[in-house]
Amino acid sequence: MARQKRQYCPETNALSEKLGQTILRLRTADKLSLGDLSEMSGVAKSMISQIEKNETNPSLATLSRLSLALKTSVEAMVSADESQDVLIEKLFVQDIPLLKSEDGLCELRIIGSVDTLQWVQWYDFRAEPGGILKSSPHPAGSVENLSILAGEVTVEVGSKSWTAKAGETIRYRGDFEHSLTNTGDKPAHATMVNILAHMVRTQAL
């Protein structure tokens, strides 16, 4: 007996098309080629291509392997709505700008969005023992927030200084010359958020 051709179902086809688009979007967001995803998931490259083009209906086992490789779930892939995508941006280590202090012992990674640098600057700070990061004054009224994740850091603003250890936070004026020094005997790690002057003034209005 000849096998009957499956009847076309608009709802099923729409779901399959959205699934293919979601897999393509997640793959490109992670900068993975078809070959990369094939190696990671164990699903043939030709099969992945057909799924993305809505040329085949994958089995649940195939979707499960793809979802694990893409670090998501089958449910999330099926229900994903690109128009309401919560992922704004994913940066790899090599894409994050890195600054170093003059002594070469401190690193400052710009982990905040470059689109908000004129209002809020968010950094990842690391320093070897004895490392000093010196900063020029920011616009008048700026406030810098330093949260210590590991080690010990001493903040100097003008003639005053404060020392903070892991779990502690220091907020200080950023519109004076200031510096951060690892005064401990181990590497220091902290997050730094600098709220610039015009943001402070806007909040006060």
Side-chain angles (χ1 to χ4, degrees):
M1 180 181 294
R3 187 176 179 181
Q4 290 185 346
K5 186 177 181 180
R6 187 186 64 186
Q7 293 184 345
Y8 175 79
C9 174
E11 292 79 8
T12 301
N13 187 70
L15 179 61
S16 179
E17 182 178 3
K18 184 166 70 172
L19 176 63
Q21 293 173 349
T22 299
I23 292 174
L24 174 62
R25 177 167 52 82
L26 293 175
R27 177 173 66 79
T28 54
D30 281 347
K31 298 183 179 179
L32 299 174
S33 66
L34 285 170
D36 293 333
L37 184 54
S38 177
E39 286 187 21
M40 294 168 62
S41 65
V43 178
K45 185 166 63 173
S46 58
M47 172 62 74
I48 299 174
S49 177
Q50 290 175 352
I51 294 172
E52 291 181 350
K53 296 176 182 177
N54 191 24
E55 295 176 348
T56 185
N57 290 328
S59 66
L60 182 58
T62 296
L63 291 180
S64 179
R65 290 198 292 269
L66 289 173
S67 66
L68 287 174
L70 293 169
K71 298 180 177 62
T72 185
S73 65
V74 175
E75 293 80 4
M77 289 197 304
V78 172
S79 62
D81 184 350
E82 189 173 359
S83 65
Q84 298 179 356
D85 189 4
V86 296
L87 177 64
I88 296 174
E89 184 179 28
K90 177 179 179 180
L91 298 178
F92 294 85
V93 174
Q94 63 270 21
D95 300 324
I96 300 175
L98 173 64
L99 308 174
K100 287 199 173 186
S101 59
E102 293 182 2
D103 60 13
L105 296 177
C106 300
E107 291 185 350
L108 203 62
R109 291 185 180 275
I110 305 175
I111 56 178
S113 172
V114 294
D115 295 331
T116 64
L117 285 179
Q118 58 180 320
W119 302 297
V120 179
Q121 299 173 351
W122 181 18
Y123 303 98
D124 180 83
F125 170 76
R126 295 176 187 268
E128 294 298 321
I132 302 176
L133 177 68
K134 298 180 180 180
S135 298
S136 301
H138 301 302
S142 298
V143 176
E144 205 160 273
N145 305 262
L146 186 74
S147 296
I148 312 301
L149 302 177
E152 176 183 294
V153 177
T154 295
V155 178
E156 293 188 26
V157 180
S159 60
K160 297 183 178 180
S161 65
W162 307 268
T163 298
K165 298 181 179 181
E168 299 177 335
T169 295
I170 298 180
R171 295 186 178 88
Y172 48 92
R173 294 279 296 273
D175 49 2
F176 291 88
E177 286 191 5
H178 51 283
S179 65
L180 308 179
T181 304
N182 180 353
T183 47
D185 56 3
K186 296 180 180 180
H189 183 201
T191 58
M192 180 196 304
V193 178
N194 182 23
I195 303 176
L196 297 186
H198 40 283
M199 173 62 79
V200 174
R201 287 198 296 269
T202 298
Q203 291 179 339
L205 294 178

